[in-house]
Coordinates of all heavy atoms in Angstrom, one line a residue:
L3 N -10.5 0.8 4.5 CA -9.4 0.8 5.4 C -8.2 1.3 4.6 O -7.9 0.7 3.6 CB -9.3 -0.6 6.0 CG -8.3 -0.7 7.1 CD1 -8.6 0.1 8.3 CD2 -8.2 -2.2 7.5
Y4 N -7.5 2.2 5.2 CA -6.2 2.8 4.5 C -5.2 1.6 4.4 O -5.0 0.9 5.4 CB -5.7 3.9 5.4 CG -4.3 4.4 5.1 CD1 -4.0 4.9 3.8 CD2 -3.4 4.3 6.1 CE1 -2.7 5.3 3.6 CE2 -2.1 4.7 5.8 CZ -1.8 5.2 4.6 OH -0.5 5.6 4.4
R5 N -4.5 1.6 3.3 CA -3.5 0.5 3.1 C -2.4 0.5 4.1 O -1.9 -0.6 4.5 CB -3.0 0.6 1.7 CG -2.2 1.8 1.4 CD -1.8 1.9 -0.1 NE -1.4 3.3 -0.4 CZ -2.2 4.2 -0.8 NH1 -3.4 3.9 -1.0 NH2 -1.8 5.4 -1.0
G6 N -2.0 1.6 4.7 CA -1.0 1.7 5.7 C -1.5 1.0 7.0 O -0.8 0.3 7.7
D7 N -2.8 1.2 7.3 CA -3.4 0.5 8.5 C -3.5 -0.9 8.2 O -3.3 -1.7 9.2 CB -4.8 1.1 8.8 CG -4.7 2.5 9.3 OD1 -3.7 2.9 9.9 OD2 -5.7 3.2 9.2
K8 N -3.8 -1.4 7.0 CA -3.8 -2.8 6.7 C -2.5 -3.4 7.1 O -2.4 -4.5 7.7 CB -4.2 -3.1 5.3 CG -5.6 -2.7 4.9 CD -5.8 -2.9 3.4 CE -7.2 -2.5 3.0 NZ -7.5 -2.6 1.6
A9 N -1.4 -2.8 6.6 CA 0.0 -3.3 6.9 C 0.3 -3.2 8.4 O 0.8 -4.2 9.0 CB 1.0 -2.5 6.1
K10 N -0.1 -2.2 9.1 CA 0.1 -2.0 10.5 C -0.6 -3.1 11.3 O 0.0 -3.8 12.2 CB -0.3 -0.7 11.0 CG -0.1 -0.4 12.5 CD -0.3 1.0 12.9 CE -1.8 1.3 12.7 NZ -2.2 2.7 13.2
F11 N -1.9 -3.4 11.0 CA -2.7 -4.4 11.7 C -2.1 -5.8 11.3 O -2.1 -6.7 12.2 CB -4.1 -4.3 11.3 CG -4.8 -3.0 11.8 CD1 -5.8 -2.4 11.0 CD2 -4.4 -2.4 13.0 CE1 -6.3 -1.2 11.5 CE2 -4.9 -1.2 13.4 CZ -5.9 -0.6 12.6
A12 N -1.7 -6.0 10.1 CA -1.2 -7.3 9.7 C 0.1 -7.6 10.6 O 0.2 -8.7 11.1 CB -0.8 -7.3 8.2
K13 N 0.9 -6.6 10.8 CA 2.1 -6.8 11.6 C 1.7 -7.1 13.1 O 2.2 -8.0 13.7 CB 3.0 -5.6 11.5 CG 4.2 -5.7 12.5 CD 5.4 -5.1 12.0 CE 6.4 -5.1 13.1 NZ 7.5 -5.9 12.8
Q14 N 0.7 -6.3 13.6 CA 0.2 -6.5 14.9 C -0.3 -8.0 15.2 O -0.2 -8.5 16.2 CB -0.8 -5.5 15.3 CG -0.3 -4.1 15.5 CD -1.5 -3.1 15.8 OE1 -2.6 -3.5 15.7 NE2 -1.1 -1.9 16.0
F15 N -0.9 -8.6 14.1 CA -1.4 -9.9 14.2 C -0.4 -11.0 13.9 O -0.8 -12.1 13.7 CB -2.7 -10.0 13.4 CG -3.9 -9.4 14.1 CD1 -4.3 -8.1 13.8 CD2 -4.6 -10.1 15.1 CE1 -5.3 -7.5 14.4 CE2 -5.7 -9.5 15.7 CZ -6.1 -8.2 15.4
G16 N 0.8 -10.6 13.7 CA 1.9 -11.5 13.5 C 2.1 -12.0 12.0 O 2.8 -13.0 11.8
L17 N 1.5 -11.4 11.0 CA 1.8 -11.8 9.7 C 3.2 -11.4 9.2 O 3.7 -10.4 9.6 CB 0.7 -11.1 8.7 CG -0.6 -11.9 8.7 CD1 -1.4 -11.7 10.0 CD2 -1.4 -11.3 7.5
A18 N 3.7 -12.2 8.4 CA 5.1 -11.9 7.8 C 5.0 -11.0 6.6 O 6.0 -10.4 6.3 CB 5.8 -13.2 7.5
G19 N 3.9 -11.0 5.9 CA 3.7 -10.2 4.7 C 2.3 -10.0 4.4 O 1.4 -10.5 5.1
L20 N 2.0 -9.1 3.4 CA 0.7 -8.7 3.1 C 0.6 -8.5 1.6 O 1.5 -7.8 1.0 CB 0.3 -7.4 3.8 CG -1.0 -6.8 3.6 CD1 -2.1 -7.6 4.1 CD2 -1.1 -5.4 4.2
I21 N -0.4 -9.0 1.0 CA -0.7 -8.8 -0.4 C -2.0 -7.9 -0.5 O -3.0 -8.2 0.2 CB -1.0 -10.1 -1.2 CG1 0.2 -11.0 -1.2 CG2 -1.5 -9.8 -2.6 CD1 -0.1 -12.4 -1.8
I22 N -1.8 -6.7 -1.1 CA -2.9 -5.8 -1.2 C -3.4 -5.7 -2.7 O -2.6 -5.6 -3.6 CB -2.5 -4.4 -0.8 CG1 -2.1 -4.3 0.7 CG2 -3.6 -3.3 -1.1 CD1 -1.5 -3.0 1.1
Y23 N -4.7 -5.8 -2.9 CA -5.3 -5.7 -4.2 C -6.5 -4.8 -4.2 O -7.2 -4.7 -3.1 CB -5.6 -7.1 -4.8 CG -6.8 -7.8 -4.2 CD1 -8.0 -7.7 -4.7 CD2 -6.6 -8.5 -3.0 CE1 -9.1 -8.3 -4.1 CE2 -7.6 -9.2 -2.4 CZ -8.9 -9.0 -2.9 OH -9.9 -9.7 -2.3
M24 N -6.9 -4.3 -5.3 CA -8.1 -3.5 -5.4 C -9.3 -4.4 -5.9 O -9.2 -4.9 -6.9 CB -7.9 -2.3 -6.4 CG -6.7 -1.5 -6.2 SD -6.8 -0.4 -4.8 CE -7.8 0.8 -5.5
D25 N -10.3 -4.5 -5.1 CA -11.4 -5.4 -5.4 C -12.2 -4.7 -6.5 O -12.7 -3.5 -6.4 CB -12.3 -5.6 -4.2 CG -13.3 -6.7 -4.4 OD1 -13.9 -6.7 -5.5 OD2 -13.6 -7.5 -3.5
A26 N -12.5 -5.4 -7.6 CA -13.2 -4.8 -8.7 C -14.6 -4.4 -8.4 O -15.1 -3.4 -8.9 CB -13.2 -5.8 -9.9
A27 N -15.2 -5.0 -7.4 CA -16.5 -4.6 -7.0 C -16.5 -3.3 -6.3 O -17.5 -2.5 -6.4 CB -17.1 -5.7 -6.0
D28 N -15.4 -2.8 -5.8 CA -15.3 -1.5 -5.1 C -14.9 -0.4 -6.1 O -15.2 0.7 -6.0 CB -14.3 -1.6 -4.0 CG -14.8 -2.5 -2.8 OD1 -16.0 -2.6 -2.7 OD2 -14.0 -3.0 -2.1
Y29 N -14.0 -0.8 -7.1 CA -13.4 0.2 -7.9 C -13.8 0.2 -9.3 O -13.4 1.1 -10.1 CB -11.8 0.1 -7.8 CG -11.4 0.4 -6.4 CD1 -11.2 -0.5 -5.4 CD2 -11.1 1.8 -6.1 CE1 -10.8 -0.2 -4.2 CE2 -10.7 2.1 -4.8 CZ -10.6 1.1 -3.9 OH -10.2 1.5 -2.6
S30 N -14.6 -0.8 -9.7 CA -15.2 -0.8 -11.1 C -16.4 -1.7 -11.0 O -16.5 -2.7 -11.6 CB -14.2 -1.3 -12.1 OG -14.6 -1.1 -13.4
P31 N -17.5 -1.2 -10.3 CA -18.7 -2.0 -10.2 C -19.4 -2.2 -11.5 O -19.1 -1.5 -12.5 CB -19.5 -1.2 -9.2 CG -19.0 0.2 -9.2 CD -17.6 0.1 -9.7
K32 N -20.3 -3.2 -11.6 CA -21.1 -3.4 -12.8 C -21.7 -2.1 -13.3 O -22.2 -1.3 -12.6 CB -22.1 -4.5 -12.6 CG -21.6 -5.8 -12.5 CD -22.7 -6.9 -12.5 CE -22.1 -8.2 -12.5 NZ -23.0 -9.3 -12.6
G33 N -21.6 -2.0 -14.6 CA -22.2 -0.8 -15.3 C -21.2 0.4 -15.4 O -21.5 1.4 -16.1
I34 N -20.1 0.3 -14.7 CA -19.0 1.4 -14.8 C -17.9 0.8 -15.7 O -17.3 -0.2 -15.5 CB -18.4 1.7 -13.4 CG1 -19.5 2.1 -12.5 CG2 -17.3 2.7 -13.5 CD1 -20.2 3.4 -12.8
T35 N -17.7 1.6 -16.8 CA -16.7 1.2 -17.8 C -15.3 1.5 -17.2 O -15.0 2.6 -16.7 CB -16.9 2.0 -19.1 OG1 -18.2 1.8 -19.5 CG2 -15.9 1.5 -20.1
P36 N -14.4 0.5 -17.3 CA -13.0 0.7 -16.8 C -12.2 1.6 -17.7 O -12.5 1.8 -18.9 CB -12.4 -0.7 -16.7 CG -13.2 -1.5 -17.6 CD -14.6 -0.9 -17.7
M37 N -11.2 2.2 -17.2 CA -10.2 3.0 -17.9 C -9.7 2.2 -19.1 O -9.6 1.0 -19.0 CB -9.1 3.5 -17.1 CG -9.5 4.5 -16.0 SD -8.1 5.1 -15.1 CE -8.1 4.0 -13.6
P38 N -9.4 2.8 -20.2 CA -9.3 4.2 -20.5 C -10.6 4.8 -21.0 O -10.6 6.0 -21.2 CB -8.2 4.2 -21.6 CG -8.4 3.0 -22.4 CD -8.8 2.0 -21.3
D39 N -11.6 4.0 -21.2 CA -12.9 4.5 -21.7 C -13.8 5.0 -20.7 O -14.8 5.6 -21.0 CB -13.6 3.5 -22.6 CG -12.7 3.0 -23.7 OD1 -12.0 3.9 -24.3 OD2 -12.7 1.8 -24.0
G40 N -13.6 4.8 -19.4 CA -14.4 5.2 -18.3 C -13.7 5.4 -17.0 O -12.4 5.3 -17.0
P41 N -14.4 5.7 -15.9 CA -13.7 6.1 -14.7 C -13.3 4.8 -13.8 O -12.6 5.0 -12.8 CB -14.7 6.9 -14.0 CG -16.0 6.4 -14.4 CD -15.8 6.0 -15.9
G42 N -13.8 3.6 -14.2 CA -13.5 2.5 -13.4 C -12.1 2.0 -13.5 O -11.4 2.2 -14.5
L43 N -11.6 1.3 -12.4 CA -10.3 0.7 -12.5 C -10.3 -0.6 -13.2 O -11.1 -1.5 -12.9 CB -9.8 0.5 -11.0 CG -8.4 0.0 -10.9 CD1 -7.4 1.1 -11.2 CD2 -8.1 -0.5 -9.5
P44 N -9.4 -0.8 -14.2 CA -9.4 -2.1 -14.9 C -8.9 -3.2 -14.0 O -8.3 -2.9 -12.9 CB -8.4 -1.8 -16.0 CG -7.6 -0.7 -15.6 CD -8.4 0.1 -14.7
D45 N -9.2 -4.4 -14.3 CA -8.8 -5.5 -13.4 C -7.3 -5.7 -13.4 O -6.7 -6.5 -12.6 CB -9.5 -6.8 -13.8 CG -9.1 -7.4 -15.2 OD1 -8.4 -6.6 -15.9 OD2 -9.4 -8.5 -15.5
T46 N -6.5 -5.0 -14.2 CA -5.1 -5.0 -14.2 C -4.5 -3.8 -13.3 O -3.3 -3.7 -13.2 CB -4.5 -4.9 -15.6 OG1 -5.0 -3.7 -16.2 CG2 -4.8 -6.2 -16.4
G47 N -5.4 -3.0 -12.8 CA -4.9 -1.8 -12.0 C -4.3 -2.2 -10.7 O -4.7 -3.2 -10.1
I48 N -3.3 -1.5 -10.3 CA -2.7 -1.7 -9.0 C -2.7 -0.4 -8.2 O -2.4 0.6 -8.7 CB -1.2 -2.2 -9.2 CG1 -1.2 -3.5 -10.0 CG2 -0.4 -2.3 -7.9 CD1 0.2 -3.9 -10.4
Q49 N -3.0 -0.6 -6.9 CA -3.0 0.6 -6.0 C -1.6 0.9 -5.7 O -0.7 0.1 -5.4 CB -3.7 0.2 -4.7 CG -3.9 1.4 -3.8 CD -4.7 1.0 -2.5 OE1 -4.0 0.6 -1.6 NE2 -6.0 1.2 -2.5
R50 N -1.3 2.2 -5.7 CA 0.1 2.7 -5.4 C -0.1 3.8 -4.4 O -1.1 4.5 -4.3 CB 0.8 3.1 -6.6 CG 0.1 4.0 -7.5 CD 1.0 4.4 -8.6 NE 1.7 5.6 -8.3 CZ 2.2 6.5 -9.1 NH1 2.0 6.4 -10.4 NH2 2.9 7.5 -8.7
G51 N 0.9 4.0 -3.6 CA 0.9 5.0 -2.6 C 1.7 4.6 -1.3 O 2.3 3.5 -1.3
A52 N 1.7 5.5 -0.4 CA 2.5 5.3 0.8 C 1.8 4.3 1.8 O 0.6 4.2 1.8 CB 2.8 6.6 1.5
L53 N 2.6 3.7 2.6 CA 2.1 2.8 3.7 C 2.5 3.4 5.1 O 2.0 2.9 6.1 CB 2.8 1.4 3.6 CG 2.4 0.6 2.4 CD1 3.2 -0.7 2.3 CD2 0.9 0.2 2.5
K54 N 3.3 4.4 5.1 CA 3.7 4.9 6.4 C 2.7 5.8 7.1 O 1.8 6.3 6.5 CB 5.1 5.6 6.2 CG 5.0 6.8 5.3 CD 6.4 7.4 5.1 CE 6.5 8.5 4.2 NZ 5.5 9.0 3.4
D55 N 2.9 6.0 8.4 CA 2.0 6.8 9.2 C 2.5 8.2 9.4 O 2.5 8.8 10.5 CB 1.9 6.2 10.6 CG 0.9 5.0 10.7 OD1 0.0 5.0 9.8 OD2 0.9 4.3 11.7
A56 N 3.0 8.8 8.3 CA 3.5 10.1 8.4 C 3.5 10.7 7.0 O 3.4 10.0 6.0 CB 5.0 10.1 8.9
D57 N 3.7 12.0 6.9 CA 3.8 12.7 5.6 C 5.3 12.8 5.2 O 6.2 12.9 6.0 CB 3.3 14.2 5.7 CG 1.8 14.2 6.0 OD1 1.1 13.3 5.5 OD2 1.3 15.1 6.7
G58 N 5.5 12.7 3.9 CA 6.8 12.9 3.3 C 7.7 11.8 3.5 O 7.4 10.7 3.9
D59 N 9.0 12.0 3.3 CA 10.1 11.1 3.4 C 10.3 10.7 4.9 O 10.4 11.6 5.7 CB 11.4 11.7 2.9 CG 12.6 10.8 2.9 OD1 12.6 9.9 3.7 OD2 13.5 11.1 2.2
P60 N 10.2 9.5 5.3 CA 10.3 9.1 6.7 C 11.7 9.5 7.3 O 11.8 9.8 8.5 CB 10.1 7.6 6.8 CG 10.4 7.1 5.4 CD 10.0 8.3 4.5
S61 N 12.7 9.7 6.5 CA 14.0 10.0 7.1 C 14.1 11.5 7.3 O 15.0 12.0 8.0 CB 15.2 9.5 6.2 OG 15.2 10.3 5.0
T62 N 13.2 12.3 6.7 CA 13.2 13.8 6.9 C 11.8 14.2 7.3 O 11.2 15.2 6.8 CB 13.6 14.6 5.7 OG1 12.7 14.2 4.6 CG2 15.1 14.3 5.3
Y63 N 11.2 13.5 8.3 CA 9.8 13.6 8.7 C 9.4 15.1 8.8 O 10.1 15.8 9.6 CB 9.6 12.9 10.0 CG 8.2 13.0 10.5 CD1 7.1 12.6 9.7 CD2 8.0 13.5 11.7 CE1 5.8 12.7 10.2 CE2 6.7 13.6 12.2 CZ 5.6 13.2 11.5 OH 4.3 13.3 11.9
L64 N 8.4 15.5 8.1 CA 7.8 16.8 8.1 C 8.7 17.9 7.4 O 8.3 19.1 7.5 CB 7.4 17.3 9.5 CG 6.3 16.5 10.2 CD1 6.0 17.0 11.6 CD2 5.0 16.6 9.4
Y65 N 9.8 17.5 6.9 CA 10.7 18.5 6.2 C 10.9 18.0 4.8 O 10.9 16.8 4.5 CB 12.0 18.7 6.9 CG 11.8 19.3 8.3 CD1 11.7 18.6 9.4 CD2 11.7 20.7 8.4 CE1 11.5 19.2 10.7 CE2 11.4 21.3 9.6 CZ 11.4 20.6 10.7 OH 11.2 21.1 11.9
P66 N 11.2 18.9 3.8 CA 11.6 18.5 2.5 C 12.8 17.6 2.5 O 13.7 17.8 3.3 CB 11.8 19.8 1.7 CG 11.2 20.8 2.6 CD 11.2 20.4 4.0
S67 N 12.8 16.6 1.7 CA 14.0 15.7 1.6 C 14.9 16.3 0.5 O 14.6 16.4 -0.6 CB 13.5 14.3 1.1 OG 14.6 13.5 1.0
S68 N 16.1 16.7 1.0 CA 17.1 17.2 0.1 C 18.5 16.7 0.5 O 18.6 16.1 1.6 CB 17.1 18.7 0.0 OG 17.6 19.2 1.2
K69 N 19.4 16.9 -0.3 CA 20.8 16.5 0.0 C 21.3 17.1 1.3 O 22.1 16.5 2.0 CB 21.7 16.8 -1.2 CG 23.1 16.7 -1.1 CD 23.7 16.7 -2.4 CE 24.5 17.9 -2.6 NZ 25.3 17.9 -3.9
Y70 N 20.8 18.3 1.6 CA 21.4 19.1 2.7 C 20.5 19.0 4.0 O 20.9 19.5 5.0 CB 21.5 20.6 2.4 CG 22.4 20.8 1.2 CD1 21.9 21.0 -0.1 CD2 23.8 20.6 1.3 CE1 22.7 21.2 -1.2 CE2 24.6 20.7 0.2 CZ 24.0 21.0 -1.1 OH 24.9 21.2 -2.1
A71 N 19.4 18.3 3.9 CA 18.5 18.2 5.0 C 19.1 17.1 6.0 O 19.8 16.2 5.6 CB 17.1 17.7 4.6
Y72 N 18.7 17.3 7.3 CA 19.0 16.3 8.3 C 18.2 15.0 7.9 O 17.0 15.0 7.7 CB 18.6 16.7 9.7 CG 18.7 15.6 10.7 CD1 19.9 15.1 11.1 CD2 17.5 15.0 11.1 CE1 20.0 14.1 12.0 CE2 17.6 13.9 12.0 CZ 18.8 13.5 12.5 OH 18.9 12.4 13.4
H73 N 18.9 13.9 7.8 CA 18.2 12.6 7.6 C 18.4 11.7 8.8 O 19.5 11.4 9.3 CB 18.9 11.9 6.4 CG 18.5 12.5 5.1 ND1 17.5 12.1 4.3 CD2 19.1 13.6 4.4 CE1 17.4 12.9 3.2 NE2 18.4 13.8 3.3
A74 N 17.3 11.3 9.4 CA 17.3 10.4 10.5 C 17.8 9.1 10.2 O 17.8 8.7 9.0 CB 15.8 10.3 11.0
S75 N 18.4 8.4 11.1 CA 18.9 7.1 10.9 C 17.7 6.1 10.7 O 16.6 6.4 11.1 CB 19.8 6.6 12.1 OG 18.9 6.4 13.2
E76 N 18.0 5.0 10.2 CA 17.0 3.9 10.1 C 16.3 3.6 11.4 O 15.1 3.4 11.5 CB 17.6 2.7 9.4 CG 16.5 1.6 9.1 CD 17.1 0.4 8.4 OE1 18.2 0.5 7.8 OE2 16.4 -0.6 8.5
E77 N 17.1 3.5 12.4 CA 16.6 3.3 13.8 C 15.6 4.3 14.2 O 14.6 4.0 14.8 CB 17.8 3.3 14.8 CG 18.7 2.1 14.7 CD 18.1 0.8 15.3 OE1 17.3 0.9 16.3 OE2 18.3 -0.2 14.7
E78 N 15.8 5.6 13.8 CA 14.9 6.6 14.2 C 13.6 6.6 13.5 O 12.5 6.9 14.0 CB 15.6 8.0 14.0 CG 16.7 8.3 15.0 CD 17.4 9.6 14.7 OE1 18.2 9.6 13.7 OE2 17.2 10.6 15.4
Y79 N 13.6 6.2 12.2 CA 12.4 6.4 11.4 C 11.7 5.0 11.1 O 10.6 5.0 10.6 CB 12.6 7.1 10.1 CG 13.4 6.5 9.0 CD1 12.8 5.5 8.2 CD2 14.7 6.8 8.8 CE1 13.6 4.8 7.2 CE2 15.5 6.2 7.8 CZ 14.9 5.2 7.0 OH 15.6 4.6 6.0
K80 N 12.2 3.9 11.5 CA 11.6 2.6 11.1 C 10.2 2.4 11.8 O 9.4 1.7 11.3 CB 12.5 1.5 11.4 CG 12.8 1.1 12.8 CD 13.7 0.0 12.9 CE 14.0 -0.4 14.3 NZ 14.9 -1.5 14.4
S81 N 9.9 3.2 12.8 CA 8.6 3.0 13.5 C 7.5 3.6 12.6 O 6.3 3.3 12.8 CB 8.6 3.7 14.8 OG 8.7 5.1 14.7
L82 N 7.9 4.5 11.6 CA 6.9 5.0 10.7 C 6.5 4.1 9.5 O 5.6 4.3 8.8 CB 7.4 6.3 10.1 CG 7.7 7.5 11.1 CD1 8.4 8.6 10.4 CD2 6.5 7.9 11.8
L83 N 7.3 3.0 9.4 CA 7.1 2.1 8.3 C 6.4 0.8 8.8 O 6.5 0.5 10.0 CB 8.5 1.7 7.7 CG 9.3 2.9 7.1 CD1 10.7 2.5 6.7 CD2 8.6 3.6 6.0
P84 N 5.7 0.1 7.9 CA 5.0 -1.0 8.3 C 5.7 -2.2 9.0 O 5.2 -2.9 9.8 CB 4.2 -1.5 7.1 CG 4.9 -0.9 5.9 CD 5.6 0.3 6.4
G85 N 7.0 -2.4 8.5 CA 7.8 -3.5 9.2 C 7.5 -4.9 8.7 O 8.0 -5.8 9.2
I86 N 6.7 -5.0 7.6 CA 6.5 -6.3 7.0 C 6.5 -6.1 5.5 O 6.3 -5.0 5.0 CB 5.2 -7.0 7.4 CG1 4.0 -6.2 7.0 CG2 5.1 -7.3 8.9 CD1 2.6 -6.9 7.1
I87 N 6.8 -7.2 4.8 CA 6.8 -7.1 3.3 C 5.4 -6.9 2.8 O 4.4 -7.6 3.3 CB 7.4 -8.4 2.7 CG1 8.8 -8.6 3.2 CG2 7.2 -8.5 1.2 CD1 9.4 -10.0 2.9
T88 N 5.2 -6.0 1.9 CA 3.9 -5.6 1.4 C 3.9 -5.5 -0.1 O 4.8 -4.8 -0.6 CB 3.4 -4.3 2.0 OG1 3.4 -4.4 3.4 CG2 1.9 -4.0 1.6
M89 N 3.0 -6.3 -0.8 CA 3.1 -6.3 -2.2 C 1.7 -6.0 -2.8 O 0.8 -6.7 -2.6 CB 3.5 -7.7 -2.7 CG 3.4 -7.9 -4.2 SD 4.5 -6.8 -5.1 CE 5.9 -7.8 -5.2
P90 N 1.6 -4.9 -3.6 CA 0.4 -4.6 -4.3 C 0.3 -5.5 -5.6 O 1.3 -5.6 -6.3 CB 0.5 -3.1 -4.6 CG 1.9 -2.9 -4.8 CD 2.6 -3.8 -3.8
I91 N -0.9 -6.0 -5.8 CA -1.1 -6.8 -7.0 C -2.5 -6.4 -7.6 O -3.3 -5.8 -6.9 CB -1.1 -8.3 -6.8 CG1 -2.2 -8.8 -5.9 CG2 0.3 -8.8 -6.3 CD1 -2.3 -10.3 -5.8
S92 N -2.7 -6.7 -8.9 CA -3.9 -6.4 -9.5 C -5.0 -7.4 -9.1 O -4.7 -8.5 -8.7 CB -3.7 -6.4 -11.0 OG -3.6 -7.7 -11.5
F93 N -6.3 -7.0 -9.4 CA -7.4 -7.9 -9.1 C -7.3 -9.2 -10.0 O -7.6 -10.3 -9.5 CB -8.7 -7.2 -9.3 CG -9.9 -8.0 -9.0 CD1 -10.2 -8.3 -7.7 CD2 -10.7 -8.5 -10.0 CE1 -11.3 -9.1 -7.4 CE2 -11.9 -9.3 -9.7 CZ -12.1 -9.6 -8.4
R94 N -6.8 -9.0 -11.2 CA -6.7 -10.1 -12.1 C -5.7 -11.1 -11.5 O -5.9 -12.3 -11.6 CB -6.2 -9.7 -13.5 CG -6.1 -10.8 -14.5 CD -5.6 -10.4 -15.8 NE -6.5 -9.6 -16.5 CZ -6.3 -9.0 -17.7 NH1 -5.2 -9.2 -18.3 NH2 -7.3 -8.3 -18.3
N95 N -4.6 -10.6 -10.9 CA -3.6 -11.5 -10.3 C -4.1 -12.1 -9.0 O -3.6 -13.1 -8.5 CB -2.3 -10.8 -10.1 CG -1.6 -10.6 -11.4 OD1 -1.8 -11.3 -12.4 ND2 -0.7 -9.6 -11.5
A96 N -5.0 -11.4 -8.3 CA -5.5 -11.8 -7.0 C -6.5 -13.0 -7.2 O -6.6 -13.8 -6.3 CB -6.1 -10.7 -6.3
L97 N -7.3 -13.0 -8.3 CA -8.3 -14.0 -8.4 C -7.8 -15.4 -8.3 O -8.5 -16.2 -7.5 CB -9.0 -13.8 -9.8 CG -10.0 -12.7 -9.9 CD1 -10.6 -12.6 -11.3 CD2 -11.2 -13.0 -8.9
P98 N -6.7 -15.8 -8.9 CA -6.3 -17.2 -8.7 C -5.9 -17.5 -7.2 O -6.2 -18.6 -6.7 CB -5.1 -17.4 -9.6 CG -5.1 -16.3 -10.6 CD -5.9 -15.2 -9.9
L99 N -5.3 -16.5 -6.6 CA -5.0 -16.7 -5.1 C -6.3 -16.9 -4.3 O -6.3 -17.7 -3.4 CB -4.2 -15.5 -4.6 CG -2.8 -15.3 -5.3 CD1 -2.2 -14.0 -4.8 CD2 -1.9 -16.5 -5.1
L100 N -7.3 -16.0 -4.6 CA -8.5 -16.1 -3.8 C -9.2 -17.4 -4.1 O -9.8 -18.0 -3.2 CB -9.4 -14.9 -4.2 CG -8.9 -13.6 -3.8 CD1 -9.7 -12.5 -4.4 CD2 -8.9 -13.5 -2.3
R101 N -9.2 -17.9 -5.3 CA -9.8 -19.2 -5.7 C -9.1 -20.4 -4.9 O -9.8 -21.3 -4.4 CB -9.7 -19.5 -7.2 CG -10.8 -18.7 -8.0 CD -10.8 -19.1 -9.4 NE -11.4 -18.1 -10.2 CZ -10.8 -17.4 -11.1 NH1 -9.6 -17.6 -11.5 NH2 -11.4 -16.4 -11.8
D102 N -7.8 -20.3 -4.8 CA -7.0 -21.3 -4.2 C -7.3 -21.4 -2.7 O -7.2 -22.5 -2.1 CB -5.5 -21.2 -4.4 CG -5.1 -21.6 -5.8 OD1 -5.9 -22.2 -6.5 OD2 -4.0 -21.2 -6.2
I103 N -7.7 -20.3 -2.1 CA -8.0 -20.3 -0.6 C -9.5 -20.2 -0.4 O -9.9 -20.0 0.7 CB -7.3 -19.1 0.1 CG1 -7.7 -17.8 -0.4 CG2 -5.8 -19.3 0.1 CD1 -7.3 -16.6 0.5
A104 N -10.3 -20.4 -1.5 CA -11.7 -20.4 -1.4 C -12.3 -19.1 -0.9 O -13.2 -19.1 -0.1 CB -12.2 -21.6 -0.6
G105 N -11.6 -18.0 -1.3 CA -12.1 -16.7 -0.8 C -13.0 -16.0 -1.7 O -13.3 -16.4 -2.7

């Protein structure tokens, strides 16, 4: 599931925030060596990227963002953003949280 959809669905279900982590079972399964010696994601790796439902800068949707470009107001582009606090963390940092909630 795309991280932007995770944030969108979290908001739809009334969550105030979302913690996103990369599960080691998905990104560095047994037998796969983690970076820098292999292609797997180390347990300290953090997913990064956009959460919005659009390409590029949300204030200049579909156009390059430059000093001279038209920039939409926050009111105009806030529908492209998730609208809740979202924090990416590493799997190593997620483990204690998962243990505390018996996940």
Side-chain angles (χ1 to χ4, degrees):
L3 187 61
Y4 166 63
R5 65 187 161 269
D7 288 338
K8 290 177 185 178
K10 180 172 67 174
F11 297 145
K13 173 148 175 115
Q14 287 175 359
F15 283 95
L17 278 69
L20 178 67
I21 297 172
I22 297 176
Y23 70 93
M24 309 285 283
D25 192 320
D28 296 330
Y29 292 93
S30 193
K32 283 189 176 188
I34 303 296
T35 306
M37 293 183 261
D39 300 321
L43 185 72
D45 66 350
T46 56
I48 296 175
Q49 188 178 86
R50 50 179 271 207
L53 293 172
K54 61 188 178 347
D55 278 340
D57 294 325
D59 181 339
S61 73
T62 60
Y63 179 59
L64 295 177
Y65 294 97
S67 181
S68 74
K69 171 166 111 170
Y70 303 104
Y72 167 76
H73 287 267
S75 69
E76 184 178 340
E77 289 285 321
E78 292 176 284
Y79 70 78
K80 70 181 179 180
S81 67
L82 300 172
L83 302 173
I86 62 171
I87 296 168
T88 307
M89 173 62 92
I91 64 172
S92 70
F93 184 69
R94 182 183 292 178
N95 289 336
L97 280 177
L99 299 173
L100 293 170
R101 282 189 201 113
D102 286 347
I103 61 170

